[in-house]
Each structure stands twice: as C-alpha cells, then as structure tokens.
Amino acid sequence: MTMADAGWSMDDLDEDEAPRGPVGKAFRLSAADSLSIGNAVCGFLAVCVLAWSAIAQLQQSREFHPDPRYFATAVVLLLIGATCDLFDGLVARRFRASAMGAELDNLADVISFGFAPAFMVVAWAGFSHRLPLWLVLCAAVSVLVAGVVRLARFACVKTKSGDFMGLPIPMGAMTVVSIVLLFQPSYPTVIGIFAVAWLMVSRIEYPKPKGNLAAVVLAWIMVNVACLIIWAADLAGGDILIQIGACMQIALVSAIPLRVLMFKREQRKERKLTGSVR
C-alpha cells in the first residue's frame, strides 16, 4: 500500500508542516524595526573598532595599550545605539509595530549592550597584565550573561508599577563603559563591574523613561556624545569632561538602589506604626 493509495501526498505533508500564523506580516520591517537593526549595527561596529585597535597595535609592537580615540569611537557608536533603542518603542507605538519587533529589539540589545561592553572589558583589562586573565573573562562574561538574563526576564515578567525590574541593559552597559573610561584595571574596578551585572538581574525597580524623563535621557546621551568627541579630539578640558560624565553615570546608577532601599525601609516603618496603633 502506497502513500497515494492511502490518500496522502507530499503536498499534504508540506501543508501540515508549513508554519502557521501571519508569515507575510512577520517579514515586513517597520520603522521601529529599522531602528532596532541600526542599534545592532552600532554594537557590531563598536566591537569591530575595538578589535581593529587591538590587532593593529599587537601586530606593530606586540603590546596593547588602549587608545582613547578607538574607545571613544566605540562608545559613541554604543550611545547612537542607545538612542535608537530609546526611540524604537516610541516609534512603534506612534506608527506601526511588526510581528517580530520585540524579538528584534532584544536581539539588538544583546549585541550592543551585552556583547559589546563585555568585549570592551576584555580589551580594557585582558592585555594589561594587572589582573589574571580568568578574572577579566569572568567579569566580561558576567556582563554578557546578566544582560541576556535581564532581557529574557523582561520579556516574561511584568512589574505591577510598569517600571523596569533590575537595571535596564542600556544603562548597565553605559555604567560598565564609564568604569572602563574612568579607571585603570584593578580588583576594585572589576568588583564594580560584577556589581553592575548583579544590578541588572536584581529585583530593584528602575523608572521607565517616559515623557519628560525620556527627553532628559536623550539630552543626557547627547551631552555624553559631545564630551566623548571633545575627549577623543584631545581638546582642552576633555579629560575633565569625560571624568565628570563617567562619575555622574556611576553615581546615578548607585543612587537609585539606595533610594529604593530607603523608600522600602520607610514603608516598613509606616506599616509597623499602623499595626501598633490598631
């Protein structure tokens, strides 16, 4: 008895195994998707710039010393990627979102704010001989893994307040970059990188940039880009500007958890007072 005798054909099998759902719509890129792809391209180019810097120097002198110009270029690319990431959600809500918009956004974030800063940590400390290579790799891997877990949890878990649970991955990446730009490789700075990775997977809630806050975030990104360009061009005051910007980024990320802990402590005190009065 053949398949044809049984009433089956290859066309029937192909129809059964064909993907279900709006396949045609899934392949239509929206304006928001273009921003997500731009974010991914910026992250990839940042890695290429750092890799080219290391390869060129190692070929010439067999020693690698981080060049501020290449690092500044890589950071500017990441900031451009962060701007694309800031606007892709706004554009999707304002115009049209495709069926794969959320997936594209997460994949782009992994490249720009997970892999790229992790690679920057390796380029920053991996050739310095100040720290064991295994420790540098562990710090870089912690940034990458924390970013991946952070994005996966964001896709599955929604907070009641609508805020972010854990440090948003773009802010985490910029904080890692600030540590790299501000300090030399050392054990305390590596501990700081581990702390940033922990904040990304923590349960501390960070406010979403909406309305005026989104405008402030965009202005902050533009100021950082300007400071990086001045620093990379070796203009007067560039070193001070980059130090101030990096310190403010680290202070901002550190202050929010402290404020949240103080707020929760005050809430517990109020509940205790309310319970004692009753």
Side-chain angles (χ1 to χ4, degrees), residues 14 40 50 58 128 136 148 156 224 239 242 273 277:
D14 291 341
L50 293 173
L58 291 173
S128 66
V136 176
V148 171
C156 300
N224 281 339
D239 290 339
I242 200 69
L273 290 174
V277 170

Side-chain angles (χ1 to χ4, degrees), residues 19-37:
R20 303 293 183 182
V23 179
K25 292 182 179 180
F27 285 99
R28 296 175 187 171
L29 293 177
S30 65
D33 295 336
S34 300
L35 290 173
S36 296
I37 292 173

Side-chain angles (χ1 to χ4, degrees), residues 197-261:
W198 175 81
L199 284 174
M200 283 195 283
V201 295
S202 69
R203 296 186 178 182
I204 299 173
E205 294 187 4
Y206 285 78
K208 278 189 176 182
K210 300 177 183 177
N212 293 333
L213 184 58
V216 171
V217 171
L218 178 61
W220 173 252
I221 291 174
M222 295 299 102
V223 170
N224 281 339
V225 170
C227 292
L228 283 164
I229 292 173
I230 294 172
W231 175 63
D234 199 20
L235 298 176
D239 290 339
I240 296 176
L241 286 175
I242 200 69
Q243 290 175 4
I244 292 174
C247 289
M248 289 179 65
Q249 174 67 28
I250 296 171
L252 176 66
V253 171
S254 303
I256 293 177
L258 293 175
R259 179 68 188 92
V260 171
L261 291 175

Side-chain angles (χ1 to χ4, degrees), residues 75 90 100 109 153 182 194 205 234 273:
V75 177
L90 299 175
M100 56 182 176
D109 286 351
R153 189 176 66 182
L182 193 60
F194 280 117
E205 294 187 4
D234 199 20
L273 290 174

